[in-house]
Amino acid sequence: MTPFSLRGRLLLGSAVAIIVATFLAGIGINAISGLAVRALALSEIDEELRVLLAAVDINASNQLVLDEMPTDPRFGVPNGGFYWQVGRNGTVELRSQSLWEQDLPWVRSRPREAGRATDMAGPNGSQLLAVERSVSITSATGDQTVDIVMALDNGELAPARWRFFYAMAPSLGVLSVALIGAVVAFLRYGLRPLHDLRIALMAVQERSARQITGQFPHEVQPLVDDLNGLLTSRETQLAQARARAGDLAHGLKTPLAALEATARALAEEGMPARATAIRNEIGRMEAQIKRTLAQTRASLAAAHTVGVLNASADLKKIVSVMQRLTVDREIEFELSEQPEVWLAIDETDFADITGNLIDNARKWARGKVRVRLTVLEEHGGVELIIDDDGPGLPDGVKDAFIRRGKRLDESIAGTGFGLAIAKDLVEAYDGKLVLARSDLGGLSVNVSLPARLIKERQPAASMLT
């Protein structure tokens, strides 16, 4: 994906957001797990504290005694991590073996915190989670208040906390991957209208549709309407240009007819040389006008949406016509074409291209004209090759003859613009026309048309739009 890809930008932004959210979720889960582990620890402390509260008593000697010792083995190990102490009036009288000779601080001086969990310093600089409770016990001297502190080393909580976090980490990873996958699927679904718009535009570009069609979201529909409006405006302008070209051709017919009449009058008055000169200029003017109109029509048709035609069938018809035109000479026409080649090209333009090229070969051929139409599977596109066994053109003047419409032999009928018109029409459809020496000895004309003109479907009843 390019840095300017909309899909890439959205995917990158979503992935970063998901990763950051997962990281923050991990921090939050770690904090929540800490609270959960702390709550479990307090539950354990409260349970042992209730046992201790039930076991403490004052004997006849006014000494604190325990009817039953707490059973947790950590109480019996020095610095075992679990501690308790019992006392009166701020004095420790009984303690667990885990405290050894050390005392825990009392929190009774803060009555509001009595009975609540608190953090305090423990043996060897450890941090403890402690709970203090007070109980009133009846003795020989009256009711006495006994304080009990029970504490658990916070270091005991960390392993459980991290075990919980490590158990959750794979789930967070799987969740992140699943969310990124969901984002990819969402982007494919969310950006599909843009893909559909691109396909519709390609259909317009390839001349299989006149406008953008389909159902689009409300956010995209205004853009589609604007593009269709632009296409309609462009189509109107092309139609107007085509009409102006037709008007120009029609308007030039009358002056040329007048010149032709003048030439006939000069010939009747005994000035045949002048009449011939005028007729030659009229012929050149008509040829130039024909070429210019062909260029205009080709550019308009190539830019305009057109139908599709069966190029193979049309080529057969044109070759058949050329055979009927050649009655004064014996010329063999060899046609090799694929069964069906459907092209998105104006029917008149295709007829002008093939007709001019085959007619040119027919005029110059000594005895054979070969026509081949093939679809290039490897490189794509359509190739039309027309060979003849005539004199051909010198290698150094091929392109010049096409540009100027010049003729090698004035004894052969024609205007000299056939190749030039065909070249203009081919280039209007982004094709290429190349002249070369034929293996038959004469001229070989190679016409290449782009692959986008090839259509797989059969056209509608009307070949033209």
Side-chain angles (χ1 to χ4, degrees), residues 177-190:
V177 174
L179 288 176
I180 292 176
V183 167
V184 172
F186 169 76
L187 289 178
R188 289 178 63 88
Y189 175 75

PDB file of all heavy atoms in Angstrom, residues 177-190:
ATOM      1  N   VAL A 177      -5.393  -9.334  17.504  1.00  0.00           N
ATOM      2  CA  VAL A 177      -5.362  -9.875  16.140  1.00  0.00           C
ATOM      3  C   VAL A 177      -6.770  -9.965  15.564  1.00  0.00           C
ATOM      4  O   VAL A 177      -7.016  -9.633  14.387  1.00  0.00           O
ATOM      5  CB  VAL A 177      -4.675 -11.253  16.135  1.00  0.00           C
ATOM      6  CG1 VAL A 177      -4.777 -11.894  14.756  1.00  0.00           C
ATOM      7  CG2 VAL A 177      -3.218 -11.120  16.548  1.00  0.00           C
ATOM      8  N   ALA A 178      -7.720 -10.414  16.392  1.00  0.00           N
ATOM      9  CA  ALA A 178      -9.107 -10.514  15.921  1.00  0.00           C
ATOM     10  C   ALA A 178      -9.669  -9.151  15.562  1.00  0.00           C
ATOM     11  O   ALA A 178     -10.374  -8.991  14.552  1.00  0.00           O
ATOM     12  CB  ALA A 178      -9.969 -11.182  16.999  1.00  0.00           C
ATOM     13  N   LEU A 179      -9.337  -8.134  16.381  1.00  0.00           N
ATOM     14  CA  LEU A 179      -9.836  -6.787  16.085  1.00  0.00           C
ATOM     15  C   LEU A 179      -9.219  -6.234  14.805  1.00  0.00           C
ATOM     16  O   LEU A 179      -9.907  -5.589  14.001  1.00  0.00           O
ATOM     17  CB  LEU A 179      -9.528  -5.860  17.266  1.00  0.00           C
ATOM     18  CG  LEU A 179     -10.374  -6.086  18.531  1.00  0.00           C
ATOM     19  CD1 LEU A 179      -9.899  -5.185  19.659  1.00  0.00           C
ATOM     20  CD2 LEU A 179     -11.849  -5.833  18.245  1.00  0.00           C
ATOM     21  N   ILE A 180      -7.917  -6.470  14.604  1.00  0.00           N
ATOM     22  CA  ILE A 180      -7.280  -5.999  13.370  1.00  0.00           C
ATOM     23  C   ILE A 180      -7.889  -6.713  12.168  1.00  0.00           C
ATOM     24  O   ILE A 180      -8.139  -6.096  11.116  1.00  0.00           O
ATOM     25  CB  ILE A 180      -5.760  -6.226  13.442  1.00  0.00           C
ATOM     26  CG1 ILE A 180      -5.138  -5.301  14.498  1.00  0.00           C
ATOM     27  CG2 ILE A 180      -5.107  -5.964  12.082  1.00  0.00           C
ATOM     28  CD1 ILE A 180      -3.660  -5.520  14.717  1.00  0.00           C
ATOM     29  N   GLY A 181      -8.137  -8.036  12.306  1.00  0.00           N
ATOM     30  CA  GLY A 181      -8.815  -8.753  11.225  1.00  0.00           C
ATOM     31  C   GLY A 181     -10.201  -8.193  10.958  1.00  0.00           C
ATOM     32  O   GLY A 181     -10.622  -8.072   9.804  1.00  0.00           O
ATOM     33  N   ALA A 182     -10.909  -7.844  12.039  1.00  0.00           N
ATOM     34  CA  ALA A 182     -12.242  -7.257  11.865  1.00  0.00           C
ATOM     35  C   ALA A 182     -12.145  -5.910  11.172  1.00  0.00           C
ATOM     36  O   ALA A 182     -12.997  -5.563  10.334  1.00  0.00           O
ATOM     37  CB  ALA A 182     -12.923  -7.106  13.227  1.00  0.00           C
ATOM     38  N   VAL A 183     -11.092  -5.132  11.493  1.00  0.00           N
ATOM     39  CA  VAL A 183     -10.907  -3.832  10.834  1.00  0.00           C
ATOM     40  C   VAL A 183     -10.644  -4.024   9.345  1.00  0.00           C
ATOM     41  O   VAL A 183     -11.171  -3.286   8.493  1.00  0.00           O
ATOM     42  CB  VAL A 183      -9.751  -3.060  11.497  1.00  0.00           C
ATOM     43  CG1 VAL A 183      -9.338  -1.870  10.648  1.00  0.00           C
ATOM     44  CG2 VAL A 183     -10.167  -2.590  12.886  1.00  0.00           C
ATOM     45  N   VAL A 184      -9.812  -5.041   9.011  1.00  0.00           N
ATOM     46  CA  VAL A 184      -9.545  -5.310   7.593  1.00  0.00           C
ATOM     47  C   VAL A 184     -10.837  -5.656   6.862  1.00  0.00           C
ATOM     48  O   VAL A 184     -11.116  -5.139   5.766  1.00  0.00           O
ATOM     49  CB  VAL A 184      -8.520  -6.457   7.454  1.00  0.00           C
ATOM     50  CG1 VAL A 184      -8.377  -6.876   5.994  1.00  0.00           C
ATOM     51  CG2 VAL A 184      -7.167  -6.019   8.009  1.00  0.00           C
ATOM     52  N   ALA A 185     -11.647  -6.526   7.483  1.00  0.00           N
ATOM     53  CA  ALA A 185     -12.932  -6.881   6.861  1.00  0.00           C
ATOM     54  C   ALA A 185     -13.850  -5.674   6.767  1.00  0.00           C
ATOM     55  O   ALA A 185     -14.540  -5.475   5.750  1.00  0.00           O
ATOM     56  CB  ALA A 185     -13.605  -7.998   7.677  1.00  0.00           C
ATOM     57  N   PHE A 186     -13.845  -4.859   7.807  1.00  0.00           N
ATOM     58  CA  PHE A 186     -14.682  -3.655   7.789  1.00  0.00           C
ATOM     59  C   PHE A 186     -14.250  -2.694   6.689  1.00  0.00           C
ATOM     60  O   PHE A 186     -15.084  -2.105   5.993  1.00  0.00           O
ATOM     61  CB  PHE A 186     -14.606  -2.964   9.155  1.00  0.00           C
ATOM     62  CG  PHE A 186     -15.217  -1.592   9.168  1.00  0.00           C
ATOM     63  CD1 PHE A 186     -16.584  -1.424   9.176  1.00  0.00           C
ATOM     64  CD2 PHE A 186     -14.410  -0.466   9.151  1.00  0.00           C
ATOM     65  CE1 PHE A 186     -17.149  -0.162   9.177  1.00  0.00           C
ATOM     66  CE2 PHE A 186     -14.956   0.805   9.149  1.00  0.00           C
ATOM     67  CZ  PHE A 186     -16.337   0.957   9.164  1.00  0.00           C
ATOM     68  N   LEU A 187     -12.922  -2.526   6.537  1.00  0.00           N
ATOM     69  CA  LEU A 187     -12.432  -1.625   5.485  1.00  0.00           C
ATOM     70  C   LEU A 187     -12.806  -2.149   4.107  1.00  0.00           C
ATOM     71  O   LEU A 187     -13.153  -1.366   3.207  1.00  0.00           O
ATOM     72  CB  LEU A 187     -10.916  -1.461   5.611  1.00  0.00           C
ATOM     73  CG  LEU A 187     -10.424  -0.644   6.810  1.00  0.00           C
ATOM     74  CD1 LEU A 187      -8.901  -0.598   6.842  1.00  0.00           C
ATOM     75  CD2 LEU A 187     -10.984   0.775   6.765  1.00  0.00           C
ATOM     76  N   ARG A 188     -12.695  -3.460   3.920  1.00  0.00           N
ATOM     77  CA  ARG A 188     -13.093  -4.027   2.621  1.00  0.00           C
ATOM     78  C   ARG A 188     -14.570  -3.759   2.357  1.00  0.00           C
ATOM     79  O   ARG A 188     -14.954  -3.422   1.230  1.00  0.00           O
ATOM     80  CB  ARG A 188     -12.816  -5.528   2.595  1.00  0.00           C
ATOM     81  CG  ARG A 188     -11.337  -5.885   2.549  1.00  0.00           C
ATOM     82  CD  ARG A 188     -11.151  -7.395   2.579  1.00  0.00           C
ATOM     83  NE  ARG A 188     -11.745  -8.011   1.408  1.00  0.00           N
ATOM     84  CZ  ARG A 188     -11.126  -8.191   0.257  1.00  0.00           C
ATOM     85  NH1 ARG A 188      -9.868  -7.787   0.129  1.00  0.00           N
ATOM     86  NH2 ARG A 188     -11.716  -8.757  -0.764  1.00  0.00           N
ATOM     87  N   TYR A 189     -15.367  -3.916   3.388  1.00  0.00           N
ATOM     88  CA  TYR A 189     -16.800  -3.667   3.222  1.00  0.00           C
ATOM     89  C   TYR A 189     -17.104  -2.176   3.095  1.00  0.00           C
ATOM     90  O   TYR A 189     -17.885  -1.754   2.240  1.00  0.00           O
ATOM     91  CB  TYR A 189     -17.550  -4.254   4.417  1.00  0.00           C
ATOM     92  CG  TYR A 189     -19.032  -3.940   4.410  1.00  0.00           C
ATOM     93  CD1 TYR A 189     -19.902  -4.595   3.554  1.00  0.00           C
ATOM     94  CD2 TYR A 189     -19.544  -2.960   5.261  1.00  0.00           C
ATOM     95  CE1 TYR A 189     -21.251  -4.299   3.542  1.00  0.00           C
ATOM     96  CE2 TYR A 189     -20.898  -2.659   5.259  1.00  0.00           C
ATOM     97  CZ  TYR A 189     -21.745  -3.323   4.405  1.00  0.00           C
ATOM     98  OH  TYR A 189     -23.070  -3.013   4.394  1.00  0.00           O
ATOM     99  N   GLY A 190     -16.450  -1.364   3.949  1.00  0.00           N
ATOM    100  CA  GLY A 190     -16.741   0.066   3.958  1.00  0.00           C
ATOM    101  C   GLY A 190     -16.256   0.786   2.718  1.00  0.00           C
ATOM    102  O   GLY A 190     -16.885   1.743   2.262  1.00  0.00           O
TER     103      GLY A 190
END
